[in-house]
Amino acid sequence: QSALTQPRSVSGSPGQSVTISCTGTSSDVGGYRYVSWYQLHPGKAPKLMIYDVTKRPSGVPDRFSGSKSGNTASLTISGLQAEDETDYYCCSYAGSYSYVFGSGTKVTVL
Amino acid sequence: EVQLVESGGGLVQPGGSLRLSCTASGFTVRSNFMSWVRLAPGKGLEWVSIIYDGGSTYYEDSVKGRFTISRDTSKNTLYLQMNSLRAEDTAVYYCARLIPPAHFDSWGQGALVTVSS
């Protein structure tokens, strides 16, 4: 199972919006509405930010939103803040009781 | 409060074995889907294995036949037995709870496994 494709990095100024793409195939992202997104700060436990493409867990700011079109899912961070600067990973169910993660994207706040 | 704490990481030679533990609190391991995910240096997250509440287990292709996921209900602990370790298994290993159908809602802080001679 190949990793989902994410841009290596995206950047934006405070208050701006950034969007991270996550491209897979019809066997994973395109085949299910089971895409989730995770935030990884170094040395900390990964944090769930979005699940089932668009749903936001309680406690996650509404600045974070998810969407999907075809084989590509996206995470948008609106009103970018300094604390958003870190790594983000997408994940999709890939059938046959398996899961596949993305290659990871570093978000930089300029 | 849901909490997951990994232990058992360390330095091991190629071909060696290591067992990771993940002790859970705030919920019952046996009643949940539990998984291992790893983050190798310079690479992205990679799903490794999962055990369903009924006991069925599944593995990523590169670890099949070498890694075994299991649980001890009396200790509310998840395990990952890793045999025939390779340099490419070097990573931080996280345990995570999966909420069906497919998202990981709780994670541990990770255990570092280094495979090197």
Side-chain angles (χ1 to χ4, degrees):
Chain A
Q1 187 75 43
S2 299
L4 306 176
T5 300
Q6 296 181 232
R8 185 176 293 269
S9 64
V10 298
S11 61
S13 300
Q16 288 187 329
S17 294
V18 295
T19 296
I20 304 168
S21 61
C22 169
T23 301
T25 69
S26 58
S27 297
D28 38 62
V29 175
Y32 308 92
R33 283 196 65 81
Y34 301 142
V35 176
S36 51
W37 290 88
Y38 303 88
Q39 179 187 67
L40 266 76
H41 279 287
K44 297 181 69 175
K47 180 181 179 181
L48 174 68
M49 305 302 286
I50 295 288
Y51 68 98
D52 294 352
V53 178
T54 61
K55 298 176 182 176
R56 201 170 44 248
S58 63
V60 173
D62 59 8
R63 305 184 288 103
F64 292 85
S65 62
S67 63
K68 191 187 84 158
S69 177
N71 296 338
T72 298
S74 299
L75 173 72
T76 297
I77 309 173
S78 306
L80 200 60
Q81 297 184 6
E83 63 258 35
D84 300 332
E85 180 167 296
T86 192
D87 297 329
Y88 294 83
Y89 289 85
C90 60
C91 179
S92 173
Y93 180 63
S96 301
Y97 313 104
S98 69
Y99 306 82
V100 60
F101 282 88
S103 49
T105 298
K106 178 172 180 57
V107 171
T108 300
V109 182
L110 301 173
Chain B
E1 178 191 5
V2 170
Q3 191 172 15
L4 295 165
V5 179
E6 300 95 338
S7 60
L11 174 64
V12 60
Q13 292 188 339
S17 298
L18 206 60
R19 188 179 79 160
L20 300 180
S21 300
C22 171
T23 301
S25 57
F27 73 100
T28 304
V29 165
R30 183 193 172 99
S31 302
N32 284 268
F33 293 13
M34 299 298 298
S35 197
W36 290 95
V37 177
R38 65 186 179 185
L39 180 64
K43 296 188 176 181
L45 288 172
E46 180 181 42
W47 172 76
V48 174
S49 180
I50 192 167
I51 183 167
Y52 283 8
D53 55 352
S56 299
T57 59
Y58 301 93
Y59 301 89
E60 190 270 328
D61 285 346
S62 71
V63 308
K64 278 180 185 174
R66 300 189 300 123
F67 289 11
T68 302
I69 190 171
S70 64
R71 64 194 180 195
D72 184 329
T73 55
S74 67
K75 296 181 179 179
N76 208 33
T77 297
L78 177 74
Y79 300 102
L80 184 67
Q81 177 66 44
M82 303 182 292
N83 299 330
S84 302
L85 282 162
R86 307 166 181 166
E88 54 264 36
D89 295 319
T90 294
V92 174
Y93 285 74
Y94 299 97
C95 69
R97 181 175 71 173
L98 183 129
I99 302 299
H103 68 272
F104 303 93
D105 76 324
S106 301
W107 297 68
Q109 300 245 3
L112 176 62
V113 173
T114 303
V115 184
S116 175
S117 55

